[in-house]
Amino acid sequence: MSDWPLTRTFRSSSGEVRWESLGDPGRDPVVLLHGTPFSSYVWRAVARALARRHRVFVWDMPGYGASEKFAGQDVSLAAQGRVFTELLAHWDLDRPRVVAHDFGGAVSLRAHLLHGARYRSLALVDPVALAPWGSPFFKLVGKHSDVFDQLPPTLHRALVREYVGSASSPGLHPAVLDRLVEPWLGDPGQAAFYRQIAQADQRYTDEVQDLYGEIAIPTLVCWGEDDTWIPVDKGHELVARIPGARLETVPGAGHLVQEDAPAHLTAALVDFLA
């Protein structure tokens, strides 16, 4: 993990969270949220670029990346929304700019709409936000997570590599794929991988999607045009629900826009955050 160290810790209601900040502490704060089954590592290039003008906060959600993983841990969207609200208070951030990908999109939306977290602006990148969501594979594993958790380590590793790799349209560099898969290996990692899928319940977005019309902050929605996990049609639908929201589609990018088109995404975020 030395290539992307998260040196700071926070004891949240769902376990220890590892986090880091980049950039001058006096600059305008931006918080980045990752998705599933990823970690803050997917934001490394974007975070370093944004840190030239902002103080950038990155964190691994409980049960993900370098953060704590344990049996019985609540890693649901409901829990992550509460944890994010706790983190903002811990960081003493009032109305930061927020950028959220995939599952992190739902986390940021729940924190804002249900827990009173205030943002200056919100950028959503291929977010989990509207029903229905979850691929056939995701739903299969969710129903039989106890069975999949018993896979031999070699088969589990192959499954996770194939699944994570499918989030990219052009394909991930082998070293990047290794790094994204690494946290899910070994006994704690394998159990955590199936735990987070088992707890991914659509009701957590059902609870907020009718509230999107109440969002009253500048909102940008970015979407990879080749996203096979959540099709770009969902981006058009989401923008229609959020007053004043703007859609930016990214050609040639799949669900992991940060890896497939980092320059395009960074440029779009720099313009929006300015």
Side-chain angles (χ1 to χ4, degrees):
M1 301 291 182
S2 59
D3 56 336
W4 182 245
L6 302 182
T7 63
R8 309 187 194 189
T9 61
F10 169 69
R11 174 57 59 176
S12 80
S13 56
S14 281
E16 186 179 86
V17 169
R18 299 289 293 270
W19 67 276
E20 193 59 81
S21 67
L22 298 79
D24 189 327
R27 291 174 178 162
D28 192 24
V30 176
V31 184
L32 305 180
L33 287 79
H34 66 81
T36 183
F38 311 111
S39 70
S40 61
Y41 178 76
V42 300
W43 284 119
R44 65 198 180 283
V46 176
R48 288 163 175 155
L50 294 181
R52 294 173 63 89
R53 299 184 180 180
H54 302 272
R55 186 183 186 193
V56 179
F57 291 81
V58 293
W59 61 295
D60 286 353
M61 296 183 195
Y64 291 78
S67 290
E68 189 175 12
K69 306 174 181 71
F70 56 86
Q73 186 176 23
D74 187 352
V75 294
S76 67
L77 277 168
Q80 305 291 6
R82 291 192 299 268
V83 169
F84 184 45
T85 307
E86 295 168 10
L87 257 181
L88 291 175
H90 174 69
W91 291 331
D92 194 26
L93 295 182
D94 180 42
R95 299 181 71 243
R97 303 177 187 274
V98 172
V99 181
H101 175 242
D102 180 76
F103 181 93
V107 172
S108 66
L109 289 164
R110 287 183 63 89
H112 182 58
L113 295 168
L114 299 182
H115 302 300
R118 302 197 308 167
Y119 311 147
R120 186 171 177 182
S121 64
L122 178 62
L124 300 167
V125 183
D126 297 63
V128 171
L130 295 170
W133 51 269
S135 67
F137 166 80
F138 196 87
K139 293 175 181 177
L140 175 67
V141 172
K143 291 178 181 177
H144 306 285
S145 59
D146 55 336
V147 176
F148 280 89
D149 189 27
Q150 299 176 54
L151 284 175
T154 52
L155 291 180
H156 165 73
R157 180 188 181 93
L159 182 150
V160 177
R161 286 182 66 85
E162 184 66 25
Y163 179 52
V164 170
S166 70
S168 169
S169 178
L172 296 170
H173 187 284
V176 171
L177 181 56
D178 287 344
R179 182 63 174 75
L180 293 176
V181 169
E182 180 185 357
W184 303 120
L185 304 180
D187 291 339
Q190 180 165 339
F193 180 80
Y194 298 111
R195 184 183 305 120
Q196 50 92 18
I197 295 179
Q199 295 183 29
D201 195 317
Q202 186 176 290
R203 66 190 170 96
Y204 296 125
T205 53
D206 291 344
E207 290 172 354
V208 292
Q209 70 176 36
D210 289 339
L211 302 177
Y212 295 161
E214 299 177 11
I215 297 174
I217 53 176
T219 304
L220 173 69
V221 177
C222 295
W223 220 285
E225 291 183 0
D226 298 339
D227 189 341
T228 59
W229 283 24
I230 311 177
V232 70
D233 290 350
K234 286 294 182 185
H236 292 278
E237 183 182 348
L238 181 59
V239 165
R241 287 173 174 256
I242 300 175
R246 178 172 65 84
L247 178 65
E248 170 107 12
T249 61
V250 184
H255 189 67
L256 268 179
V257 184
Q258 304 97 318
E259 301 293 344
D260 291 357
H264 187 141
L265 179 60
T266 300
L269 291 175
V270 166
D271 286 347
F272 177 66
L273 296 174

